[in-house]
Amino acid sequence: MGDPVKAWHEEHMYFNRLLRLLQHEVEVFATAEVPNYALMLDIISYLRDYADQYHHPREDEVFRRLALHRPDQRAPVARLQQEHRVIANAGTTLMRLLEEVQSDAVVSRAQIEVAAATYLVYYGNHIANEEEHILQLAGQTLSAEDWQAAKDAAPAGNDPLLGAHPEERFRELRRRIAVEA
Ligand SMILES: [Fe+2]
Ligand SMILES: [Fe+2]
């Protein structure tokens, strides 16, 4: 396998780019303009489809193994695992609100603004925490067998945005990422 810490870091940088795009749409609320709800929905559904299904389960296994090697890390990794659940929850809330907007239901802008801002802050801090405290330590601590187990914790599926067979529904989001890059 390639360098697992490098691949892990690259996914984080990629998620950060998506979060920046989402942040940009949240800032639109402040100007009283109408944000691009469809793009927001694409971002959140991608993060739910990919990060929640693959990235987080693999991390959970990395964290579990890291805590076995390093009992002093039990508390911080337990907190990160808890944050995965909170992120999934906050993502569900935000996605529901955005879906309601798409179906012309009356949803207050404030509700969406708050849900999106909460998600952004939570997610951004979570990634920063992992980058700052865990990646390097895991790289120094875990064995090849540990990394393989982490990979096996969520067998590779197709990445619907960046994989070999991207899904049509993410076409606009791919274009925006390319423009932003
Ligand atoms: Fe995480
Ligand atoms: Fe992560």
Side-chain angles (χ1 to χ4, degrees):
M1 105 181 55
D3 180 346
V5 174
K6 185 166 169 269
W8 190 3
H9 171 71
E10 280 166 4
E11 280 199 348
H12 281 164
M13 295 305 102
Y14 193 74
F15 295 166
N16 276 338
R17 257 154 83 185
L18 293 174
L19 293 174
R20 271 202 304 278
L21 281 176
L22 185 59
Q23 173 77 50
H24 176 77
E25 295 308 320
V26 170
E27 281 161 7
V28 172
F29 278 108
T31 64
E33 299 281 319
V34 178
N36 185 339
Y37 290 121
L39 186 73
M40 292 174 77
L41 190 58
D42 283 349
I43 293 169
I44 185 75
S45 56
Y46 172 74
L47 287 171
R48 284 171 46 82
D49 287 355
Y50 188 75
D52 289 355
Q53 303 298 323
Y54 297 100
H55 183 89
H56 291 160
R58 287 176 189 153
E59 283 182 341
D60 287 337
E61 186 61 19
V62 166
F63 296 159
R64 197 181 69 79
R65 286 169 177 262
L66 182 60
L68 291 175
H69 291 288
R70 289 282 304 266
D72 61 311
Q73 295 298 313
R74 244 182 243 156
V77 304
R79 196 165 59 236
L80 289 168
Q81 284 176 304
Q82 185 184 54
E83 287 176 3
H84 288 166
R85 297 192 289 276
V86 176
I87 286 168
N89 229 291
T92 303
T93 304
L94 177 57
M95 196 162 107
R96 277 200 197 124
L97 290 170
L98 290 167
E99 279 171 349
E100 282 174 31
V101 169
Q102 296 286 82
S103 66
D104 290 327
V106 180
V107 182
S108 80
R109 287 164 60 100
Q111 251 180 309
I112 296 178
E113 189 179 9
V114 167
T118 304
Y119 185 75
L120 276 171
V121 169
Y122 216 89
Y123 217 141
N125 285 340
H126 176 79
I127 291 175
N129 242 317
E130 288 175 344
E131 285 284 320
E132 198 176 329
H133 302 294
I134 301 294
L135 267 68
Q136 205 194 354
L137 181 66
Q140 292 160 351
T141 310
L142 298 192
S143 66
E145 186 196 331
D146 290 326
W147 288 113
Q148 188 59 48
K151 215 175 167 188
D152 293 344
N158 176 43
D159 180 333
L161 184 60
L162 297 169
H165 306 286
E167 289 176 20
E168 180 60 23
R169 66 186 167 126
F170 290 124
R171 204 161 59 100
E172 171 64 11
L173 181 54
R174 276 208 310 283
R175 197 186 63 77
R176 288 291 294 263
I177 292 163
V179 168
E180 197 242 5

